[in-house]
Amino acid sequence: LPPAGYGVLISVYAVGSVVGSLLTARLQRSLGTNRCLRAAALLGSATIGGLALAPTPVLAGCALLGLGIATMLWNTLAVTIRQKLTPSHLLGRVTSAFSVLGIGSAPIAAPIGGLIASLANTSLAIGAASLLCALAFTRLSRLPNIDQAIAAS
């Protein structure tokens, strides 16, 4: 791709994020929080895997559109759940802990991804990210019913 092509791909991801933000409340009402989280993890895994295998910029754009939807669905639900289930006096601490873990893992994960890409190729590094999302998806089936927990709180 020419440099402008990468800008277009990032913009497509942003469009997917806006779409995801607009769909979240409706999906949560119709599917429930647990199913929405699983759908977001599954869609994230599939679209990252699709990005790893995309032979054309158009297919990469489709994968990024779906990834934007999945990312926003996941992030919106996760923050909402955290705010609803965390006692007010602990919310700042819990939010900070999530930020440290989320942002703090980047300096560890980025070099690992770079090493994989250097030793093999970029598609393998992106594919490894897809596998991590798939692992998250399998673990989500063990969550208690979040909607019941929110109603009880």
Side-chain angles (χ1 to χ4, degrees):
L1 282 177
Y6 289 99
V8 171
L9 287 177
I10 297 302
S11 297
V12 169
Y13 174 80
V15 168
S17 296
V18 171
V19 170
S21 71
L22 296 172
L23 291 174
T24 299
R26 185 177 300 135
L27 288 172
Q28 186 179 22
R29 277 191 306 274
S30 64
L31 298 175
T33 303
N34 287 61
R35 284 189 186 132
C36 279
L37 285 170
R38 286 194 298 267
L42 185 60
L43 180 60
S45 179
T47 55
I48 293 171
L51 183 61
L53 300 173
T56 68
V58 171
L59 291 176
C62 291
L64 286 169
L65 180 74
L67 183 58
I69 292 169
T71 301
M72 193 54 67
L73 180 60
W74 178 273
N75 287 344
T76 303
L77 290 169
V79 170
T80 301
I81 293 163
R82 187 168 59 237
Q83 290 176 342
K84 287 185 176 182
L85 293 178
T86 304
S88 301
H89 68 283
L90 295 176
L91 188 57
R93 292 179 196 159
V94 171
T95 300
S96 295
F98 271 83
S99 295
V100 166
L101 290 172
I103 296 167
S105 63
I108 297 165
I112 293 169
L115 183 63
I116 294 169
S118 296
L119 295 175
N121 58 51
T122 306
S123 292
L124 184 62
I126 296 170
S130 176
L131 290 175
L132 288 174
C133 286
L135 178 63
F137 171 76
T138 64
R139 303 298 292 177
L140 287 171
S141 63
R142 297 180 183 179
L143 284 177
N145 187 308
I146 294 170
D147 293 320
Q148 286 179 353
I150 290 171
S153 67

